[in-house]
Amino acid sequence: MNHIASIRAALAPAGLDAVLLTCRANRFYAVGYDSHGTDGACLITRDDAWYWTDGRYIEAAQNEITDARVGLTDRASPYGQLVAGVAARCGLRRVGFDDGAMTVADYGRWRQDLPACELVPASALLTGLRASKDVGELDRMVRAQRIAERALTEVLNDIRPGVTESFLAARLVFLMRSFGAGNVSFDPIVLSGAATSVPHGVPTEKPVAAGDFVTMDFGALYGGYCSDMTRTVAVGHVTDEMQHVYATVLAAQRAGIAAAKAGVTGRDLDRAARDVIEAAGYGAAFTHSFGHSLGVEIHESPNASPGNDQPLPAGCVVSAEPGIYLAGRFGVRIEDVLHLTADGCDNLTRAPKELLIL
Ligand code: ZN
Ligand code: ZN
């Protein structure tokens, strides 16, 4: 799976002769092969494509990349020289680059290496292309989601008083990888008791206790694509207030899911869920956005947030994750991921979300 053709089709309308992709996510999106860190450069022109990498990756790149010429960079042939050679041969003038990810130092080097080219910011172009997932991408994201759900089913058996947050986080990593994940899509967040009021806290050696909420936010990576889900479960017993807060978050999430469809602005989608939480008197305790897009990276654009007044495109996969966080006491977050269509959305998450008391 690669996206060379769709990137190429976007060049002329954007007034570009080529696009130079150097950040890991955009290189992977373009050619479907993942060489890590900064060890790759991809150049797509209106009628050709190149991918260069170093000796550690060259054999795998040659085996896996189709539809692009694969070349080796080494001390005698640095990336700048290789790209400059193609730019001169093909007469490239306006070349898009990863302005959202390139360091200032790298930008300075590319300016020196490509003096005849105008370097044009192109991150927004790639972000726009990456926002709408195709069938192949969606298939990988669903597989990643199913792996995470299997891991959740297993880890529920481990949650009991005395077990630590760190142990549960490690179990999730082990289970997802043993069920076929290439990696985790981010380090799992497993929090319990008062720590659940910190939306993105870090798991500690604190043991789970009876009466705690346990919040687990985690995802698998499959074929280079992310899943993301959060479930909050209770241990032993809950107070009436915990039950009420949980029911409010779930109602807010369902209101957001009901409002989710292509063409709705990120702001309005966030608003649909936020209205429910505000009406229950917890508006100040919902301290983040309703959702973010995901795909090759765990956080992509566009967001379902108060700051996004643009319509969400068909095919985007966006999280639905309202939360209520009562500082020093407890918090609840419930997260699914939605694939937006013209008529509404497909919820890619199948795991139950009624309050579970273990
Ligand atoms: Zn998450
Ligand atoms: Zn998320």
Side-chain angles (χ1 to χ4, degrees):
M1 186 173 74
N2 70 60
H3 295 95
I4 293 170
S6 54
I7 294 170
R8 177 173 293 137
L11 294 178
L16 297 173
D17 299 321
V19 70
L20 171 65
L21 303 175
T22 50
C23 81
R24 193 202 70 80
N26 281 341
R27 283 187 277 117
F28 173 69
Y29 174 75
V31 300
Y33 168 71
D34 197 2
S35 57
H36 294 272
T38 55
D39 303 306
C42 177
L43 183 72
I44 298 175
T45 67
R46 292 190 189 186
D47 49 19
D48 215 336
W50 286 261
Y51 192 94
W52 295 280
T53 189
D54 66 37
R56 294 168 297 168
Y57 304 100
I58 189 68
E59 183 182 354
Q62 284 167 336
N63 289 339
E64 292 186 35
I65 295 175
T66 54
D67 306 324
R69 304 163 190 245
V70 178
L72 177 71
T73 185
D74 56 21
R75 212 162 291 149
S77 308
Y79 287 115
Q81 191 177 308
L82 293 164
V83 175
V86 173
R89 282 203 303 283
C90 300
L92 304 180
R93 289 285 173 270
R94 285 175 56 83
V95 177
F97 76 104
D98 279 327
D99 56 296
M102 189 177 282
T103 66
V104 174
D106 283 343
Y107 177 70
R109 275 191 285 275
W110 284 111
R111 286 287 304 270
Q112 282 185 352
D113 290 333
L114 303 171
C117 297
E118 180 189 353
L119 293 177
V120 181
S123 285
L125 179 75
L126 267 294
T127 298
L129 292 171
R130 281 170 50 186
S132 295
K133 272 65 183 178
D134 61 31
V135 174
E137 293 178 295
L138 204 54
D139 178 62
R140 293 181 188 199
M141 295 182 79
V142 168
R143 286 170 188 249
Q145 182 55 35
R146 295 293 165 268
I147 289 169
E149 287 165 6
R150 267 184 84 187
L152 174 66
T153 302
E154 291 290 323
V155 90
L156 290 177
N157 298 319
D158 298 328
I159 299 177
R160 63 179 73 88
V163 70
T164 67
E165 297 167 353
S166 305
F167 176 83
L168 295 172
R171 279 286 288 158
L172 282 168
V173 174
F174 173 81
L175 289 163
M176 287 191 284
R177 295 210 63 156
S178 49
F179 294 149
N183 206 337
V184 292
S185 54
F186 58 96
D187 289 336
I189 296 167
V190 179
L191 303 167
S192 63
T196 53
S197 74
V198 180
H200 275 197
V202 177
T204 69
E205 292 170 273
K206 175 201 169 292
V208 169
D212 277 358
F213 267 143
V214 176
T215 296
M216 295 166 284
D217 186 348
F218 59 102
L221 196 70
Y222 184 84
Y225 283 79
C226 296
S227 71
D228 191 6
M229 71 182 298
T230 305
R231 288 294 181 267
T232 300
V233 300
V235 181
H237 52 86
V238 286
T239 63
D240 288 348
E241 187 186 24
M242 288 166 78
Q243 209 155 7
H244 177 60
V245 166
Y246 190 94
T248 303
V249 172
L250 185 54
Q253 198 219 26
R254 288 190 165 136
I257 292 170
K261 79 180 201 181
V264 170
T265 67
R267 174 183 298 165
D268 287 347
L269 181 47
D270 177 275
R271 178 43 62 192
R274 197 169 298 276
D275 277 348
V276 174
I277 291 176
E278 286 180 357
Y282 292 108
F286 179 16
T287 50
H288 53 72
S289 302
F290 178 72
H292 57 89
S293 287
L294 61 154
V296 169
E297 294 176 290
I298 188 65
H299 290 136
E300 299 192 348
S301 288
N303 291 320
S305 65
N308 180 14
D309 59 5
Q310 297 299 307
L312 298 165
C316 78
V317 174
V318 64
S319 68
E321 52 176 309
I324 293 176
Y325 309 96
L326 305 177
R329 300 178 59 218
F330 66 88
V332 173
R333 180 167 66 259
I334 304 168
E335 178 180 27
D336 291 351
V337 289
L338 315 175
H339 175 237
L340 302 198
T341 64
D343 310 324
C345 68
D346 298 323
N347 191 338
L348 304 186
T349 313
R350 296 278 184 265
K353 53 193 176 187
E354 296 299 334
L355 177 59
L356 186 61
I357 302 174
L358 299 166

